[in-house]
PDB file of all heavy atoms in Angstrom:
ATOM      1  N   SER A   3      65.257  43.968 -30.189  1.00 98.00           N
ATOM      2  CA  SER A   3      65.019  44.524 -28.859  1.00 98.00           C
ATOM      3  C   SER A   3      65.089  46.042 -28.911  1.00 98.00           C
ATOM      4  O   SER A   3      65.957  46.632 -29.555  1.00 98.00           O
ATOM      5  CB  SER A   3      66.069  43.982 -27.889  1.00 98.00           C
ATOM      6  OG  SER A   3      65.877  44.519 -26.590  1.00 98.00           O
ATOM      7  N   GLY A   4      64.120  46.691 -28.243  1.00 98.00           N
ATOM      8  CA  GLY A   4      64.071  48.139 -28.239  1.00 98.00           C
ATOM      9  C   GLY A   4      63.314  48.743 -29.390  1.00 98.00           C
ATOM     10  O   GLY A   4      63.147  49.962 -29.456  1.00 98.00           O
ATOM     11  N   GLN A   5      62.839  47.914 -30.302  1.00 98.00           N
ATOM     12  CA  GLN A   5      62.056  48.366 -31.447  1.00 98.00           C
ATOM     13  C   GLN A   5      60.642  47.802 -31.365  1.00 98.00           C
ATOM     14  O   GLN A   5      60.408  46.767 -30.742  1.00 98.00           O
ATOM     15  CB  GLN A   5      62.710  47.922 -32.750  1.00 98.00           C
ATOM     16  CG  GLN A   5      64.085  48.517 -32.979  1.00 98.00           C
ATOM     17  CD  GLN A   5      64.047  50.011 -33.187  1.00 98.00           C
ATOM     18  OE1 GLN A   5      63.128  50.540 -33.826  1.00 98.00           O
ATOM     19  NE2 GLN A   5      65.040  50.711 -32.638  1.00 98.00           N
ATOM     20  N   PRO A   6      59.650  48.454 -31.989  1.00 98.00           N
ATOM     21  CA  PRO A   6      58.294  47.906 -31.988  1.00 98.00           C
ATOM     22  C   PRO A   6      58.237  46.550 -32.682  1.00 98.00           C
ATOM     23  O   PRO A   6      59.012  46.260 -33.594  1.00 98.00           O
ATOM     24  CB  PRO A   6      57.487  48.953 -32.759  1.00 98.00           C
ATOM     25  CG  PRO A   6      58.305  50.204 -32.693  1.00 98.00           C
ATOM     26  CD  PRO A   6      59.733  49.757 -32.670  1.00 98.00           C
ATOM     27  N   THR A   7      57.321  45.734 -32.262  1.00 98.00           N
ATOM     28  CA  THR A   7      57.106  44.443 -32.898  1.00 98.00           C
ATOM     29  C   THR A   7      56.624  44.629 -34.333  1.00 98.00           C
ATOM     30  O   THR A   7      56.071  45.671 -34.690  1.00 98.00           O
ATOM     31  CB  THR A   7      56.081  43.624 -32.094  1.00 98.00           C
ATOM     32  OG1 THR A   7      55.970  42.308 -32.642  1.00 98.00           O
ATOM     33  CG2 THR A   7      54.712  44.285 -32.110  1.00 98.00           C
ATOM     34  N   ALA A   8      56.848  43.610 -35.168  1.00 97.00           N
ATOM     35  CA  ALA A   8      56.468  43.731 -36.579  1.00 97.00           C
ATOM     36  C   ALA A   8      56.364  42.348 -37.206  1.00 97.00           C
ATOM     37  O   ALA A   8      56.755  41.341 -36.617  1.00 97.00           O
ATOM     38  CB  ALA A   8      57.493  44.573 -37.340  1.00 97.00           C
ATOM     39  N   ASN A   9      55.787  42.328 -38.410  1.00 98.00           N
ATOM     40  CA  ASN A   9      55.853  41.165 -39.312  1.00 98.00           C
ATOM     41  C   ASN A   9      55.181  39.907 -38.779  1.00 98.00           C
ATOM     42  O   ASN A   9      55.592  38.798 -39.096  1.00 98.00           O
ATOM     43  CB  ASN A   9      57.315  40.862 -39.660  1.00 98.00           C
ATOM     44  CG  ASN A   9      58.034  42.057 -40.228  1.00 98.00           C
ATOM     45  OD1 ASN A   9      57.494  42.756 -41.076  1.00 98.00           O
ATOM     46  ND2 ASN A   9      59.237  42.324 -39.739  1.00 98.00           N
ATOM     47  N   GLY A  10      54.131  40.063 -37.996  1.00 98.00           N
ATOM     48  CA  GLY A  10      53.370  38.900 -37.536  1.00 98.00           C
ATOM     49  C   GLY A  10      53.785  38.367 -36.185  1.00 98.00           C
ATOM     50  O   GLY A  10      53.172  37.418 -35.690  1.00 98.00           O
ATOM     51  N   LEU A  11      54.797  38.964 -35.553  1.00 98.00           N
ATOM     52  CA  LEU A  11      55.215  38.487 -34.229  1.00 98.00           C
ATOM     53  C   LEU A  11      54.121  38.699 -33.200  1.00 98.00           C
ATOM     54  O   LEU A  11      53.979  37.903 -32.260  1.00 98.00           O
ATOM     55  CB  LEU A  11      56.500  39.196 -33.801  1.00 98.00           C
ATOM     56  CG  LEU A  11      57.056  38.828 -32.421  1.00 98.00           C
ATOM     57  CD1 LEU A  11      57.332  37.337 -32.309  1.00 98.00           C
ATOM     58  CD2 LEU A  11      58.321  39.636 -32.113  1.00 98.00           C
ATOM     59  N   THR A  12      53.316  39.749 -33.348  1.00 98.00           N
ATOM     60  CA  THR A  12      52.254  40.018 -32.377  1.00 98.00           C
ATOM     61  C   THR A  12      51.271  38.861 -32.293  1.00 98.00           C
ATOM     62  O   THR A  12      50.855  38.453 -31.199  1.00 98.00           O
ATOM     63  CB  THR A  12      51.521  41.324 -32.737  1.00 98.00           C
ATOM     64  OG1 THR A  12      52.414  42.417 -32.531  1.00 98.00           O
ATOM     65  CG2 THR A  12      50.284  41.520 -31.879  1.00 98.00           C
ATOM     66  N   GLN A  13      50.884  38.300 -33.429  1.00 98.00           N
ATOM     67  CA  GLN A  13      49.936  37.182 -33.403  1.00 98.00           C
ATOM     68  C   GLN A  13      50.518  35.971 -32.690  1.00 98.00           C
ATOM     69  O   GLN A  13      49.801  35.228 -32.018  1.00 98.00           O
ATOM     70  CB  GLN A  13      49.520  36.804 -34.830  1.00 98.00           C
ATOM     71  CG  GLN A  13      48.612  37.827 -35.510  1.00 98.00           C
ATOM     72  CD  GLN A  13      49.371  38.891 -36.268  1.00 98.00           C
ATOM     73  OE1 GLN A  13      50.501  39.237 -35.904  1.00 98.00           O
ATOM     74  NE2 GLN A  13      48.772  39.409 -37.337  1.00 98.00           N
ATOM     75  N   LEU A  14      51.824  35.778 -32.818  1.00 98.00           N
ATOM     76  CA  LEU A  14      52.463  34.680 -32.095  1.00 98.00           C
ATOM     77  C   LEU A  14      52.532  34.994 -30.605  1.00 98.00           C
ATOM     78  O   LEU A  14      52.173  34.160 -29.769  1.00 98.00           O
ATOM     79  CB  LEU A  14      53.859  34.414 -32.650  1.00 98.00           C
ATOM     80  CG  LEU A  14      54.606  33.229 -32.032  1.00 98.00           C
ATOM     81  CD1 LEU A  14      55.455  32.515 -33.077  1.00 98.00           C
ATOM     82  CD2 LEU A  14      55.495  33.656 -30.862  1.00 98.00           C
ATOM     83  N   ALA A  15      52.974  36.204 -30.242  1.00 98.00           N
ATOM     84  CA  ALA A  15      53.183  36.555 -28.842  1.00 98.00           C
ATOM     85  C   ALA A  15      51.870  36.673 -28.067  1.00 98.00           C
ATOM     86  O   ALA A  15      51.825  36.397 -26.867  1.00 98.00           O
ATOM     87  CB  ALA A  15      53.953  37.867 -28.742  1.00 98.00           C
ATOM     88  N   GLU A  16      50.786  37.082 -28.736  1.00 98.00           N
ATOM     89  CA  GLU A  16      49.517  37.271 -28.057  1.00 98.00           C
ATOM     90  C   GLU A  16      48.618  36.045 -28.107  1.00 98.00           C
ATOM     91  O   GLU A  16      47.850  35.785 -27.169  1.00 98.00           O
ATOM     92  CB  GLU A  16      48.755  38.440 -28.678  1.00 98.00           C
ATOM     93  CG  GLU A  16      49.387  39.794 -28.442  1.00 98.00           C
ATOM     94  CD  GLU A  16      48.530  40.931 -28.955  1.00 98.00           C
ATOM     95  OE1 GLU A  16      47.409  40.662 -29.467  1.00 98.00           O
ATOM     96  OE2 GLU A  16      48.972  42.079 -28.852  1.00 98.00           O
ATOM     97  N   ALA A  17      48.701  35.268 -29.196  1.00 97.00           N
ATOM     98  CA  ALA A  17      47.746  34.172 -29.378  1.00 97.00           C
ATOM     99  C   ALA A  17      48.397  32.846 -29.747  1.00 97.00           C
ATOM    100  O   ALA A  17      47.692  31.851 -29.948  1.00 97.00           O
ATOM    101  CB  ALA A  17      46.722  34.556 -30.445  1.00 97.00           C
ATOM    102  N   GLY A  18      49.722  32.809 -29.868  1.00 97.00           N
ATOM    103  CA  GLY A  18      50.381  31.554 -30.219  1.00 97.00           C
ATOM    104  C   GLY A  18      50.193  31.161 -31.659  1.00 97.00           C
ATOM    105  O   GLY A  18      50.455  30.012 -32.041  1.00 97.00           O
ATOM    106  N   ASN A  19      49.773  32.100 -32.502  1.00 98.00           N
ATOM    107  CA  ASN A  19      49.546  31.824 -33.928  1.00 98.00           C
ATOM    108  C   ASN A  19      50.831  32.127 -34.690  1.00 98.00           C
ATOM    109  O   ASN A  19      51.185  33.296 -34.901  1.00 98.00           O
ATOM    110  CB  ASN A  19      48.396  32.689 -34.435  1.00 98.00           C
ATOM    111  CG  ASN A  19      48.122  32.494 -35.921  1.00 98.00           C
ATOM    112  OD1 ASN A  19      48.719  31.632 -36.567  1.00 98.00           O
ATOM    113  ND2 ASN A  19      47.229  33.305 -36.460  1.00 98.00           N
ATOM    114  N   ASN A  20      51.530  31.078 -35.139  1.00 98.00           N
ATOM    115  CA  ASN A  20      52.817  31.280 -35.807  1.00 98.00           C
ATOM    116  C   ASN A  20      52.693  31.499 -37.311  1.00 98.00           C
ATOM    117  O   ASN A  20      53.697  31.763 -37.985  1.00 98.00           O
ATOM    118  CB  ASN A  20      53.757  30.108 -35.530  1.00 98.00           C
ATOM    119  CG  ASN A  20      53.259  28.786 -36.107  1.00 98.00           C
ATOM    120  OD1 ASN A  20      52.103  28.671 -36.516  1.00 98.00           O
ATOM    121  ND2 ASN A  20      54.108  27.773 -36.102  1.00 98.00           N
ATOM    122  N   ALA A  21      51.488  31.396 -37.864  1.00 98.00           N
ATOM    123  CA  ALA A  21      51.330  31.475 -39.328  1.00 98.00           C
ATOM    124  C   ALA A  21      51.717  32.831 -39.912  1.00 98.00           C
ATOM    125  O   ALA A  21      52.456  32.881 -40.909  1.00 98.00           O
ATOM    126  CB  ALA A  21      49.903  31.097 -39.718  1.00 98.00           C
ATOM    127  N   PRO A  22      51.237  33.958 -39.380  1.00 98.00           N
ATOM    128  CA  PRO A  22      51.626  35.239 -39.991  1.00 98.00           C
ATOM    129  C   PRO A  22      53.124  35.493 -39.952  1.00 98.00           C
ATOM    130  O   PRO A  22      53.698  35.974 -40.931  1.00 98.00           O
ATOM    131  CB  PRO A  22      50.851  36.269 -39.151  1.00 98.00           C
ATOM    132  CG  PRO A  22      49.687  35.516 -38.598  1.00 98.00           C
ATOM    133  CD  PRO A  22      50.222  34.142 -38.314  1.00 98.00           C
ATOM    134  N   LEU A  23      53.764  35.193 -38.822  1.00 98.00           N
ATOM    135  CA  LEU A  23      55.208  35.400 -38.735  1.00 98.00           C
ATOM    136  C   LEU A  23      55.933  34.497 -39.721  1.00 98.00           C
ATOM    137  O   LEU A  23      56.889  34.931 -40.386  1.00 98.00           O
ATOM    138  CB  LEU A  23      55.703  35.137 -37.314  1.00 98.00           C
ATOM    139  CG  LEU A  23      57.216  35.263 -37.095  1.00 98.00           C
ATOM    140  CD1 LEU A  23      57.711  36.661 -37.435  1.00 98.00           C
ATOM    141  CD2 LEU A  23      57.573  34.915 -35.651  1.00 98.00           C
ATOM    142  N   TYR A  24      55.491  33.245 -39.849  1.00 98.00           N
ATOM    143  CA  TYR A  24      56.178  32.359 -40.779  1.00 98.00           C
ATOM    144  C   TYR A  24      55.976  32.782 -42.220  1.00 98.00           C
ATOM    145  O   TYR A  24      56.873  32.623 -43.049  1.00 98.00           O
ATOM    146  CB  TYR A  24      55.737  30.908 -40.594  1.00 98.00           C
ATOM    147  CG  TYR A  24      56.513  29.978 -41.499  1.00 98.00           C
ATOM    148  CD1 TYR A  24      57.906  29.933 -41.444  1.00 98.00           C
ATOM    149  CD2 TYR A  24      55.878  29.177 -42.446  1.00 98.00           C
ATOM    150  CE1 TYR A  24      58.639  29.113 -42.276  1.00 98.00           C
ATOM    151  CE2 TYR A  24      56.599  28.347 -43.282  1.00 98.00           C
ATOM    152  CZ  TYR A  24      57.970  28.323 -43.199  1.00 98.00           C
ATOM    153  OH  TYR A  24      58.704  27.515 -44.037  1.00 98.00           O
ATOM    154  N   THR A  25      54.830  33.351 -42.535  1.00 98.00           N
ATOM    155  CA  THR A  25      54.622  33.871 -43.889  1.00 98.00           C
ATOM    156  C   THR A  25      55.684  34.914 -44.222  1.00 98.00           C
ATOM    157  O   THR A  25      56.255  34.924 -45.319  1.00 98.00           O
ATOM    158  CB  THR A  25      53.217  34.480 -44.021  1.00 98.00           C
ATOM    159  OG1 THR A  25      52.239  33.452 -43.829  1.00 98.00           O
ATOM    160  CG2 THR A  25      53.020  35.114 -45.392  1.00 98.00           C
ATOM    161  N   TYR A  26      55.962  35.790 -43.255  1.00 98.00           N
ATOM    162  CA  TYR A  26      57.000  36.799 -43.453  1.00 98.00           C
ATOM    163  C   TYR A  26      58.379  36.162 -43.551  1.00 98.00           C
ATOM    164  O   TYR A  26      59.165  36.469 -44.460  1.00 98.00           O
ATOM    165  CB  TYR A  26      56.965  37.816 -42.315  1.00 98.00           C
ATOM    166  CG  TYR A  26      58.181  38.706 -42.279  1.00 98.00           C
ATOM    167  CD1 TYR A  26      58.315  39.761 -43.176  1.00 98.00           C
ATOM    168  CD2 TYR A  26      59.206  38.481 -41.365  1.00 98.00           C
ATOM    169  CE1 TYR A  26      59.433  40.575 -43.161  1.00 98.00           C
ATOM    170  CE2 TYR A  26      60.337  39.284 -41.346  1.00 98.00           C
ATOM    171  CZ  TYR A  26      60.449  40.323 -42.244  1.00 98.00           C
ATOM    172  OH  TYR A  26      61.575  41.112 -42.229  1.00 98.00           O
ATOM    173  N   ILE A  27      58.693  35.272 -42.617  1.00 98.00           N
ATOM    174  CA  ILE A  27      60.013  34.625 -42.602  1.00 98.00           C
ATOM    175  C   ILE A  27      60.237  33.833 -43.892  1.00 98.00           C
ATOM    176  O   ILE A  27      61.310  33.896 -44.506  1.00 98.00           O
ATOM    177  CB  ILE A  27      60.143  33.700 -41.377  1.00 98.00           C
ATOM    178  CG1 ILE A  27      60.181  34.530 -40.086  1.00 98.00           C
ATOM    179  CG2 ILE A  27      61.373  32.814 -41.486  1.00 98.00           C
ATOM    180  CD1 ILE A  27      61.416  35.383 -39.929  1.00 98.00           C
ATOM    181  N   LYS A  28      59.234  33.117 -44.319  1.00 98.00           N
ATOM    182  CA  LYS A  28      59.362  32.308 -45.537  1.00 98.00           C
ATOM    183  C   LYS A  28      59.596  33.187 -46.755  1.00 98.00           C
ATOM    184  O   LYS A  28      60.331  32.800 -47.674  1.00 98.00           O
ATOM    185  CB  LYS A  28      58.109  31.451 -45.736  1.00 98.00           C
ATOM    186  CG  LYS A  28      58.217  30.438 -46.858  1.00 98.00           C
ATOM    187  CD  LYS A  28      56.988  29.549 -46.931  1.00 98.00           C
ATOM    188  CE  LYS A  28      57.117  28.512 -48.038  1.00 98.00           C
ATOM    189  NZ  LYS A  28      55.918  27.640 -48.126  1.00 98.00           N
ATOM    190  N   SER A  29      59.000  34.373 -46.771  1.00 97.00           N
ATOM    191  CA  SER A  29      59.182  35.274 -47.913  1.00 97.00           C
ATOM    192  C   SER A  29      60.609  35.794 -48.005  1.00 97.00           C
ATOM    193  O   SER A  29      61.017  36.290 -49.051  1.00 97.00           O
ATOM    194  CB  SER A  29      58.204  36.453 -47.823  1.00 97.00           C
ATOM    195  OG  SER A  29      58.574  37.348 -46.778  1.00 97.00           O
ATOM    196  N   ASN A  30      61.358  35.705 -46.910  1.00 97.00           N
ATOM    197  CA  ASN A  30      62.754  36.129 -46.891  1.00 97.00           C
ATOM    198  C   ASN A  30      63.730  34.955 -46.922  1.00 97.00           C
ATOM    199  O   ASN A  30      64.932  35.143 -46.707  1.00 97.00           O
ATOM    200  CB  ASN A  30      63.015  36.983 -45.650  1.00 97.00           C
ATOM    201  CG  ASN A  30      62.423  38.366 -45.768  1.00 97.00           C
ATOM    202  OD1 ASN A  30      62.975  39.245 -46.399  1.00 97.00           O
ATOM    203  ND2 ASN A  30      61.251  38.548 -45.179  1.00 97.00           N
ATOM    204  N   THR A  31      63.212  33.768 -47.187  1.00 97.00           N
ATOM    205  CA  THR A  31      64.030  32.554 -47.229  1.00 97.00           C
ATOM    206  C   THR A  31      64.152  32.083 -48.668  1.00 97.00           C
ATOM    207  O   THR A  31      63.160  31.994 -49.382  1.00 97.00           O
ATOM    208  CB  THR A  31      63.399  31.438 -46.377  1.00 97.00           C
ATOM    209  OG1 THR A  31      63.189  31.913 -45.055  1.00 97.00           O
ATOM    210  CG2 THR A  31      64.292  30.206 -46.338  1.00 97.00           C
ATOM    211  N   GLY A  32      65.378  31.784 -49.081  1.00 95.00           N
ATOM    212  CA  GLY A  32      65.560  31.325 -50.459  1.00 95.00           C
ATOM    213  C   GLY A  32      67.010  31.316 -50.860  1.00 95.00           C
ATOM    214  O   GLY A  32      67.880  30.893 -50.098  1.00 95.00           O
ATOM    215  N   ILE A  33      67.308  31.829 -52.039  1.00 94.00           N
ATOM    216  CA  ILE A  33      68.636  31.700 -52.637  1.00 94.00           C
ATOM    217  C   ILE A  33      69.391  33.018 -52.563  1.00 94.00           C
ATOM    218  O   ILE A  33      68.853  34.089 -52.794  1.00 94.00           O
ATOM    219  CB  ILE A  33      68.510  31.251 -54.103  1.00 94.00           C
ATOM    220  CG1 ILE A  33      67.730  29.937 -54.186  1.00 94.00           C
ATOM    221  CG2 ILE A  33      69.881  31.087 -54.737  1.00 94.00           C
ATOM    222  CD1 ILE A  33      68.314  28.801 -53.369  1.00 94.00           C
ATOM    223  N   PHE A  34      70.648  32.888 -52.227  1.00 93.00           N
ATOM    224  CA  PHE A  34      71.593  34.003 -52.264  1.00 93.00           C
ATOM    225  C   PHE A  34      72.928  33.424 -52.697  1.00 93.00           C
ATOM    226  O   PHE A  34      73.444  32.504 -52.060  1.00 93.00           O
ATOM    227  CB  PHE A  34      71.736  34.658 -50.886  1.00 93.00           C
ATOM    228  CG  PHE A  34      72.808  35.714 -50.834  1.00 93.00           C
ATOM    229  CD1 PHE A  34      72.509  37.032 -51.120  1.00 93.00           C
ATOM    230  CD2 PHE A  34      74.117  35.388 -50.516  1.00 93.00           C
ATOM    231  CE1 PHE A  34      73.489  38.009 -51.080  1.00 93.00           C
ATOM    232  CE2 PHE A  34      75.109  36.355 -50.473  1.00 93.00           C
ATOM    233  CZ  PHE A  34      74.794  37.665 -50.753  1.00 93.00           C
ATOM    234  N   THR A  35      73.473  33.916 -53.793  1.00 91.00           N
ATOM    235  CA  THR A  35      74.798  33.452 -54.203  1.00 91.00           C
ATOM    236  C   THR A  35      75.450  34.446 -55.147  1.00 91.00           C
ATOM    237  O   THR A  35      74.784  35.002 -56.023  1.00 91.00           O
ATOM    238  CB  THR A  35      74.746  32.076 -54.887  1.00 91.00           C
ATOM    239  OG1 THR A  35      76.090  31.607 -55.108  1.00 91.00           O
ATOM    240  CG2 THR A  35      73.994  32.104 -56.197  1.00 91.00           C
ATOM    241  N   PRO A  36      76.728  34.715 -54.949  1.00 90.00           N
ATOM    242  CA  PRO A  36      77.484  35.433 -55.969  1.00 90.00           C
ATOM    243  C   PRO A  36      77.863  34.489 -57.099  1.00 90.00           C
ATOM    244  O   PRO A  36      77.754  33.263 -56.958  1.00 90.00           O
ATOM    245  CB  PRO A  36      78.716  35.915 -55.213  1.00 90.00           C
ATOM    246  CG  PRO A  36      78.906  34.895 -54.138  1.00 90.00           C
ATOM    247  CD  PRO A  36      77.541  34.391 -53.773  1.00 90.00           C
ATOM    248  N   LEU A  37      78.287  35.049 -58.209  1.00 91.00           N
ATOM    249  CA  LEU A  37      78.869  34.283 -59.303  1.00 91.00           C
ATOM    250  C   LEU A  37      80.358  34.585 -59.354  1.00 91.00           C
ATOM    251  O   LEU A  37      80.787  35.696 -59.086  1.00 91.00           O
ATOM    252  CB  LEU A  37      78.225  34.662 -60.641  1.00 91.00           C
ATOM    253  CG  LEU A  37      76.708  34.538 -60.744  1.00 91.00           C
ATOM    254  CD1 LEU A  37      76.238  34.988 -62.115  1.00 91.00           C
ATOM    255  CD2 LEU A  37      76.248  33.122 -60.444  1.00 91.00           C
ATOM    256  N   SER A  38      81.132  33.595 -59.716  1.00 91.00           N
ATOM    257  CA  SER A  38      82.578  33.802 -59.836  1.00 91.00           C
ATOM    258  C   SER A  38      82.903  34.499 -61.158  1.00 91.00           C
ATOM    259  O   SER A  38      82.033  34.644 -62.029  1.00 91.00           O
ATOM    260  CB  SER A  38      83.298  32.453 -59.782  1.00 91.00           C
ATOM    261  OG  SER A  38      83.060  31.706 -60.964  1.00 91.00           O
ATOM    262  N   PRO A  39      84.150  34.949 -61.342  1.00 92.00           N
ATOM    263  CA  PRO A  39      84.558  35.478 -62.651  1.00 92.00           C
ATOM    264  C   PRO A  39      84.155  34.528 -63.785  1.00 92.00           C
ATOM    265  O   PRO A  39      84.231  33.304 -63.632  1.00 92.00           O
ATOM    266  CB  PRO A  39      86.075  35.595 -62.510  1.00 92.00           C
ATOM    267  CG  PRO A  39      86.271  35.891 -61.055  1.00 92.00           C
ATOM    268  CD  PRO A  39      85.235  35.045 -60.356  1.00 92.00           C
ATOM    269  N   ILE A  40      83.733  35.099 -64.896  1.00 94.00           N
ATOM    270  CA  ILE A  40      83.112  34.333 -65.983  1.00 94.00           C
ATOM    271  C   ILE A  40      84.157  33.853 -66.984  1.00 94.00           C
ATOM    272  O   ILE A  40      84.908  34.651 -67.545  1.00 94.00           O
ATOM    273  CB  ILE A  40      82.069  35.187 -66.727  1.00 94.00           C
ATOM    274  CG1 ILE A  40      81.146  35.920 -65.745  1.00 94.00           C
ATOM    275  CG2 ILE A  40      81.282  34.317 -67.701  1.00 94.00           C
ATOM    276  CD1 ILE A  40      80.301  35.036 -64.895  1.00 94.00           C
ATOM    277  N   LEU A  41      84.195  32.541 -67.222  1.00 96.00           N
ATOM    278  CA  LEU A  41      85.016  31.985 -68.297  1.00 96.00           C
ATOM    279  C   LEU A  41      84.202  32.044 -69.580  1.00 96.00           C
ATOM    280  O   LEU A  41      83.064  31.560 -69.632  1.00 96.00           O
ATOM    281  CB  LEU A  41      85.395  30.540 -67.993  1.00 96.00           C
ATOM    282  CG  LEU A  41      86.196  29.833 -69.094  1.00 96.00           C
ATOM    283  CD1 LEU A  41      87.654  30.266 -69.034  1.00 96.00           C
ATOM    284  CD2 LEU A  41      86.080  28.321 -68.983  1.00 96.00           C
ATOM    285  N   VAL A  42      84.770  32.649 -70.630  1.00 97.00           N
ATOM    286  CA  VAL A  42      84.122  32.744 -71.937  1.00 97.00           C
ATOM    287  C   VAL A  42      85.056  32.133 -72.973  1.00 97.00           C
ATOM    288  O   VAL A  42      86.232  32.492 -73.038  1.00 97.00           O
ATOM    289  CB  VAL A  42      83.808  34.208 -72.311  1.00 97.00           C
ATOM    290  CG1 VAL A  42      83.158  34.271 -73.686  1.00 97.00           C
ATOM    291  CG2 VAL A  42      82.913  34.845 -71.262  1.00 97.00           C
TER     292      VAL A  42
END
């Protein structure tokens, strides 16, 4: 809120096309994990 639209939201808000926004969202979806101290 208070910032310009970006990343495909315009196509959804203007035409109901969710594909561009989901392409962006999907590109930021995946794996994130730290590793614990290493036993050697």
Side-chain angles (χ1 to χ4, degrees):
S3 179
Q5 297 294 322
T7 186
N9 305 316
L11 179 58
T12 292
Q13 289 90 331
L14 184 145
E16 292 186 2
N19 178 6
N20 64 347
L23 178 60
Y24 184 57
T25 297
Y26 167 77
I27 292 293
K28 188 175 181 180
S29 71
N30 286 280
T31 305
I33 303 303
F34 174 90
T35 187
L37 304 178
S38 71
I40 313 296
L41 177 79
V42 179

